Amino acid sequence: MSDIIIGIDLGTTNSEVAVVQAGRPHIIEVDGAEILPSVVGLADDGTLLVGRSARNQYALYPDRTVRSVKRRMGEDVRLPMGDQDYTPQEISALILRRLKKAAEDYLGQPVAKAVITVPAYFSDAQRQATREAGGLADLDVVRIINEPTAAALAYEVDHKEPKNILVYDLGGGTFDVSVVRLSQDVTEVLASHGNNHLGGDDFDAKLVEHVTTHLKEQAGIDPSDDRSAMARIVRACETAKITLSDAPFSRIEEEYLLEKDGEPVHLSLELERIEYEDMITGYIDETLEAAHTALKGAGLAATDIREILLVGGATRTPLIRQRLERELGMQPRSELDPDLCVAAGAAIQAAVISGQQVARVLVDVTPYTFGTSAWAELNGEPYPYTFIPLIRKNTPIPVTKSEAFDTMHDGQRAIEVQIYQGEDPDALNNTKIGSFRIEGLSDVPAGNVIVTTFALDVNGILNVTSREKRTGLEKQITIDNATARFEQQELEAARKRLSVLTEDEPQDEDAPSERRETVQAQALIEKAERLMENANAEDKEDLVNLVEAVRDALADGDADATERAVTELSDLIYYLES
Ligand code: AMP
């Protein structure tokens, strides 16, 4: 064990250190966290600060704090910190020294060697500066590897057959997209593109701008000149941004933020994911253009890409995943922690160099997608059973995700929440695993917001809660064994779908949309029959008549009549459920 080699992701915003033990990469904690902010500073009394404490003082004492040193690597500059100035290598060495010490404490033995990752576009001078930083920290840098290559190693993308992958890396302050070709023993970065000054910090800045405008308009005060208020706002905005990755709303509360005419000014502001997404959409467009440029640089088309890997904390933003999926036609992989997979890949490379065996990186992920249904566009048409996925297949568990839904009708007092598992955009083609009804909603116009939350734990227990936002009225259901129970159910659902098909459309195998309509009509009939049990005589009669109309139209094979009857029946059902 004496020749242990550690793997280091020396990032612009954050750094991580990892080591392979018992065949698996392990991220080593530094100061109780897996992520060390790449910030170095001097405290009031001249004490050296590295990591969180340095980051926390940045807003107040920028003249004795250095951040984003990675951007200056390879430049012949000196960076002031307190009374002295330092080369970028020296500042980086302080970060590396901290990581090395954490590894030694964890392993209980000295560490002298490291593999360090760098962006694919780093020049020779930048790579050389990284090596020198290692030397200053008493680390022999046995190999420098490209970050996208490290990500591919961590994901252990199976490359018995050569294939091309796209690594999309959006961190705090930098964005890189690389096209990587994997073949049996060689990993080659074919093209790389990006923006050295684009990242999650820019998303924070948009929110800060929004909050500043709010304070100016609502409280008549501009916080821009108050450093400590701005530091609090920046931190609160980052927290709100992170919340919006999992929930449709986030509230920023900062009491006693400022003073105006001797009176305290409190900040209390709710943010909606949709408005936040509007703020950052321009940045995301830019990253997608960069992805196309990288593809072009590699001489490839989107269809030549077999997998997309997500790296960097900011890729947890749902809009990024959605846009990538839409743009490149495949769901990006994100089973591994996007903050940690580069360090894990560096550790794997280190283990390979020192002759250790490495096994798969194991994470608990959900093998299924879970979601609900709602009126939304499907194939360009409004459709009542559009599948709205909340927890995507391959998401690491435990996980909690929320979405907001609006009531459809004025005075709608109840909604039926359906829970499905599956991948089909039409919920009726997925497996229904539960449902519940939330009643007693406020008597308000349409658009009453209901927040539905899916929480899936490591044991596969799915908890679904729906909550009326304005009152907090909520109802929930727990589905045990959500990740294990499907095989049987899936078989049954498939059988049912098939039986409908063979009954109604024996001769036309190539009409998926008609098939879908038939399945949909069948499901509506089942639903109507359930409703009949508790309906009053008048409603029951209407239901019976419309169900008959749907059945007749189906039997006649009259697509137009089916559509008309289905529309009428679904309208009635919605009316009855409201
Ligand atoms: P990295 O440099 O890869 O560590 O990424 C850091 C960036 O990711 C920062 O801007 C973080 O605010 C951002 N980030 C971390 N977690 C999330 C999240 N859940 N949703 C959105 N951004 C996040």
Side-chain angles (χ1 to χ4, degrees):
M1 276 284 271
S2 63
D3 214 20
I4 198 141
I5 310 176
I6 54 175
I8 292 178
D9 171 5
L10 186 60
T12 309
T13 318
N14 294 311
S15 297
E16 295 84 25
V17 56
V19 67
V20 167
Q21 281 187 307
R24 298 193 192 287
H26 171 84
I27 306 290
I28 297 170
E29 290 198 351
V30 192
D31 303 330
E34 290 173 321
I35 289 173
L36 177 77
S38 306
V39 188
V40 176
L42 294 174
D44 292 345
D45 61 359
T47 312
L48 177 70
L49 305 173
V50 180
R52 194 152 295 113
S53 47
R55 187 187 67 179
N56 290 347
Q57 77 159 24
Y58 178 78
L60 295 172
Y61 308 111
D63 41 349
R64 42 183 162 92
T65 316
V66 180
R67 59 173 201 172
S68 303
V69 61
K70 187 173 179 178
R71 294 209 169 112
R72 314 305 301 270
M73 291 297 270
E75 286 179 32
D76 185 14
V77 287
R78 298 196 70 84
L79 308 170
M81 182 169 70
D83 300 336
Q84 300 208 29
D85 47 39
Y86 303 84
T87 63
Q89 289 91 313
E90 284 165 348
I91 299 288
S92 292
L94 295 172
I95 300 169
L96 290 172
R97 217 167 70 183
R98 191 75 200 76
L99 298 169
K100 172 180 188 273
K101 168 89 171 39
E104 288 174 336
D105 290 348
Y106 172 75
L107 295 164
Q109 67 175 95
V111 171
K113 294 182 177 178
V115 168
I116 301 183
T117 59
V118 296
Y121 62 79
F122 251 28
S123 64
D124 277 350
Q126 289 168 305
R127 285 165 202 260
Q128 187 51 35
T130 305
R131 243 179 232 290
E132 283 165 21
L136 292 171
D138 289 328
L139 275 175
D140 173 16
V141 182
V142 293
R143 180 109 25 115
I144 293 222
I145 63 168
N146 291 320
E147 287 159 7
T149 305
L153 275 171
Y155 265 99
E156 269 196 52
V157 179
D158 168 32
H159 52 276
K160 279 183 215 81
E161 293 196 357
K163 66 168 140 181
N164 305 310
I165 61 168
L166 187 107
V167 181
Y168 178 104
D169 180 350
L170 189 65
T174 58
F175 167 67
D176 302 301
V177 56
S178 308
V179 179
V180 181
R181 177 150 185 85
L182 304 173
S183 48
Q184 207 124 46
D185 297 313
V186 194
T187 311
E188 189 189 353
V189 178
L190 296 181
S192 194
H193 196 69
N195 180 343
N196 224 346
H197 290 273
L198 172 65
D201 298 350
D202 296 294
F203 299 1
D204 299 346
K206 285 280 181 194
L207 287 173
V208 170
E209 208 179 292
H210 180 73
V211 168
T212 310
T213 309
H214 167 83
L215 282 168
K216 281 189 206 155
E217 285 173 6
Q218 301 294 315
I221 187 164
D222 182 354
S224 311
D225 296 329
D226 184 328
R227 274 196 172 178
S228 93
M230 284 308 280
R232 282 175 65 188
I233 293 174
V234 169
R235 218 166 302 148
C237 284
E238 186 184 6
T239 307
K241 170 189 79 174
I242 290 172
T243 304
L244 290 174
S245 286
D246 297 324
F249 302 98
S250 176
R251 181 159 272 288
I252 297 184
E253 299 275 4
E254 291 289 324
E255 299 214 319
Y256 300 95
L257 181 68
L258 294 152
E259 251 188 35
K260 189 177 176 222
D261 307 328
E263 292 292 318
V265 174
H266 310 299
L267 169 65
S268 173
L269 175 64
E270 185 171 82
L271 294 166
E272 261 189 80
R273 185 194 280 165
I274 303 173
E275 62 177 334
Y276 165 63
E277 288 180 340
D278 253 7
M279 297 177 202
I280 60 166
T281 192
Y283 291 132
I284 296 177
D285 290 343
E286 194 187 314
T287 67
L288 295 174
E289 275 165 33
H292 285 297
T293 308
L295 280 170
K296 215 165 152 195
L300 297 175
T303 45
D304 297 321
I305 295 294
R306 295 273 292 281
E307 293 189 26
I308 304 171
L309 309 185
L310 295 184
V311 178
T315 60
R316 293 196 183 90
T317 311
L319 185 62
I320 291 182
R321 294 168 188 221
Q322 286 160 21
R323 294 286 309 277
L324 273 170
E325 189 176 344
R326 211 179 328 140
E327 198 85 9
L328 300 174
M330 79 194 82
Q331 248 186 59
R333 283 183 70 177
S334 55
E335 307 95 279
L336 301 185
D337 187 323
D339 283 314
L340 305 178
C341 66
V342 169
I348 291 169
Q349 179 70 72
V352 170
I353 293 170
S354 60
Q356 276 176 270
Q357 289 288 329
V358 186
R360 276 194 77 77
V361 180
L362 267 194
V363 280
D364 263 336
V365 295
T366 161
Y368 302 108
T369 297
F370 297 98
T372 184
S373 61
W375 271 97
E377 283 221 338
L378 183 67
N379 305 326
E381 307 255 338
Y383 175 62
Y385 300 104
T386 305
F387 184 50
I388 314 285
L390 271 93
I391 297 179
R392 294 280 201 164
K393 185 163 122 179
N394 288 332
T395 307
I397 48 179
V399 61
T400 300
K401 297 273 181 193
S402 310
E403 280 295 340
F405 297 90
D406 288 343
T407 52
M408 293 277 296
H409 309 289
D410 292 348
Q412 184 171 340
R413 308 302 298 273
I415 53 162
E416 183 95 15
V417 180
Q418 312 286 351
I419 302 147
Y420 297 94
Q421 169 267 317
E423 305 297 328
D424 200 292
D426 181 345
L428 298 182
N429 290 340
N430 291 328
T431 309
K432 184 163 146 192
I433 57 167
S435 68
F436 62 88
R437 196 173 157 80
I438 170 164
E439 288 176 341
L441 300 175
S442 310
D443 187 2
V444 291
N448 187 15
V449 177
I450 313 293
V451 177
T452 293
T453 303
F454 278 45
L456 182 64
D457 76 5
V458 282
N459 302 314
I461 297 171
L462 178 67
N463 203 290
V464 179
T465 310
S466 283
R467 187 164 189 271
E468 184 180 31
K469 184 160 176 280
R470 53 186 295 132
T471 60
L473 169 79
E474 69 176 33
K475 182 114 189 241
Q476 63 105 26
I477 189 174
T478 299
I479 300 165
D480 290 333
N481 252 335
T483 50
R485 57 193 267 165
F486 295 120
E487 265 134 51
Q488 192 52 34
Q489 283 199 12
E490 258 170 5
L491 273 178
E492 277 164 25
R495 240 178 250 134
K496 211 161 147 193
R497 281 199 291 271
L498 285 175
S499 73
V500 171
L501 286 177
T502 41
E503 264 168 44
D504 294 325
E505 295 188 354
Q507 64 301 62
D508 190 0
E509 302 252 331
D510 291 316
S513 71
E514 274 176 47
R515 205 150 57 213
R516 205 188 75 218
E517 272 146 25
T518 311
V519 177
Q520 191 181 313
Q522 213 70 36
L524 262 187
I525 291 174
E526 280 173 26
K527 185 157 186 180
E529 284 169 347
R530 280 198 303 277
L531 282 174
M532 281 175 203
E533 287 163 20
N534 294 320
N536 64 33
E538 203 179 322
D539 292 341
K540 191 167 171 180
E541 195 186 336
D542 289 343
L543 282 167
V544 169
N545 289 340
L546 283 171
V547 164
E548 277 315 303
V550 174
R551 285 213 168 106
D552 289 348
L554 282 174
D556 292 340
D558 180 340
D560 287 344
T562 307
E563 198 188 357
R564 271 197 309 276
V566 161
T567 310
E568 275 187 60
L569 180 57
S570 63
D571 283 347
L572 175 64
I573 289 175
Y574 260 79
Y575 166 77
L576 292 180
E577 282 186 341
S578 311

